[in-house]
């Protein structure tokens, strides 16, 4: 099995391909075109290993899944501890990709099973609902702090009230959709 290490970020990802003298690294755009270019360079029966980096890894995971290429999604703490064990102190995307490939070779991480579209939608809704609740709470607190001032600007107060109303409507809508989907 050939392990390809990937260090992924918002706009780019670095991939480490095994070679005769270590690893050859290459950078790709984290776009459908960049991922397809990466997939075109993969050897037969690869395992692409990457850290779980929030939403930035899901385009790559999704397109690898569609291409029937095995991928492993690893907790960043595991890679961090592996780096310590390997006494790696250099921190560049290319070096991290090499380290992730080494992790794959030594630890043989389990393949990642892409959740169904319904599960992905549920997770997204839950995340957005959580963030909207934080924003709503923060906006309410701001409104409260302004209304106790000797002079509360009406435009600011109205703007905050409209924002609160909008957030409440969005929350109600998403919570209804979440319940219906579940």
């Amino acid at each position: 099995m050939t392990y390809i290490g990937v260090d992924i970020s918002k706009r780019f990802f670095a991939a480490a391909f095994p070679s005769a003298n270590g690893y050859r690294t290459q950078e790709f755009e984290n776009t459908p075109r960049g991922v397809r270019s990466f997939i075109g360079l993969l050897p037969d029966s690869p395992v692409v290993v990457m850290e779980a980096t929030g939403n930035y890894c899901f385009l790559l995971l999704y397109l690898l899944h569609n291409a029937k290429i095995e991928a492993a999604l690893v907790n960043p703490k595991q890679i961090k501890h592996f780096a310590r064990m390997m006494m790696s102190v250099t921190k560049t995307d290319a070096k991290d990709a090499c380290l992730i490939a080494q992790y794959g070779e030594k630890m043989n991480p389990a393949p990642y099973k892409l959740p169904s579209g319904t599960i992905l939608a549920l997770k997204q809704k839950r995340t957005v609902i959580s963030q909207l609740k934080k924003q709503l709470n923060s906006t309410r607190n701001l409104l409260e702090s302004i209304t106790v001032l000797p002079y509360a600007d009406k435009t600011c107060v109205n703007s905050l009230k409209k924002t609160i109303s909008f957030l409440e409507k969005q929350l109600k809508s998403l919570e209804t959709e979440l319940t219906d989907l579940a």
Side-chain angles (χ1 to χ4, degrees):
M1 224 174 259
T2 304
Y3 288 92
I4 311 298
V6 171
D7 184 59
I8 198 157
S9 64
K10 182 178 180 178
R11 292 199 171 104
F12 299 96
F13 63 93
F17 299 88
S19 67
N21 45 335
Y23 292 94
R24 173 183 61 82
T25 59
Q26 188 171 343
E27 188 173 81
F28 300 88
E29 287 185 3
N30 194 4
T31 62
R33 189 171 134 213
V35 172
R36 286 187 190 99
S37 175
F38 166 70
I39 289 172
L41 297 176
L42 292 174
D44 291 337
S45 303
V47 177
V48 178
V49 183
M50 66 190 89
E51 291 179 310
T53 55
N55 292 332
Y56 298 132
C57 63
F58 278 100
L59 173 65
L60 179 57
L61 279 171
Y62 178 76
L63 292 176
L64 287 170
H65 174 78
N66 285 352
K68 307 215 182 322
I69 296 169
E70 189 175 315
L73 193 61
V74 181
N75 186 315
K77 286 185 181 181
Q78 290 174 284
I79 301 296
K80 182 178 181 179
H81 293 305
F82 182 77
R84 284 185 187 153
M85 186 180 78
M86 300 299 288
M87 293 196 226
S88 175
V89 291
T90 308
K91 192 84 172 110
T92 66
D93 293 347
K95 292 286 185 186
D96 285 350
C98 294
L99 189 70
I100 293 168
Q102 288 177 325
Y103 177 88
E105 291 170 2
K106 304 247 188 267
M107 306 307 284
N108 300 325
Y112 180 76
K113 186 174 185 253
L114 193 67
S116 69
T118 303
I119 297 297
L120 290 172
L122 284 169
K123 286 181 177 183
Q124 287 176 34
K125 287 182 190 314
R126 192 183 71 209
T127 301
V128 172
I129 287 169
S130 174
Q131 289 300 312
L132 288 178
K133 284 181 177 179
K134 288 177 185 176
Q135 289 176 8
L136 180 59
N137 189 44
S138 175
T139 307
R140 284 178 176 155
N141 289 341
L142 180 57
L143 176 61
E144 187 177 316
S145 72
I146 286 177
T147 57
V148 299
L149 294 173
Y151 171 78
D153 183 79
K154 288 182 183 183
T155 306
C156 291
V157 169
N158 287 337
S159 177
L160 290 171
K161 285 180 179 179
K162 286 178 184 176
T163 301
I164 289 168
S165 176
F166 175 77
L167 290 171
E168 288 171 340
K169 286 176 187 170
Q170 292 300 306
L171 271 168
K172 185 176 180 178
S173 174
L174 283 169
E175 287 171 340
T176 300
E177 285 181 29
L178 182 68
T179 302
D180 292 346
L181 198 56

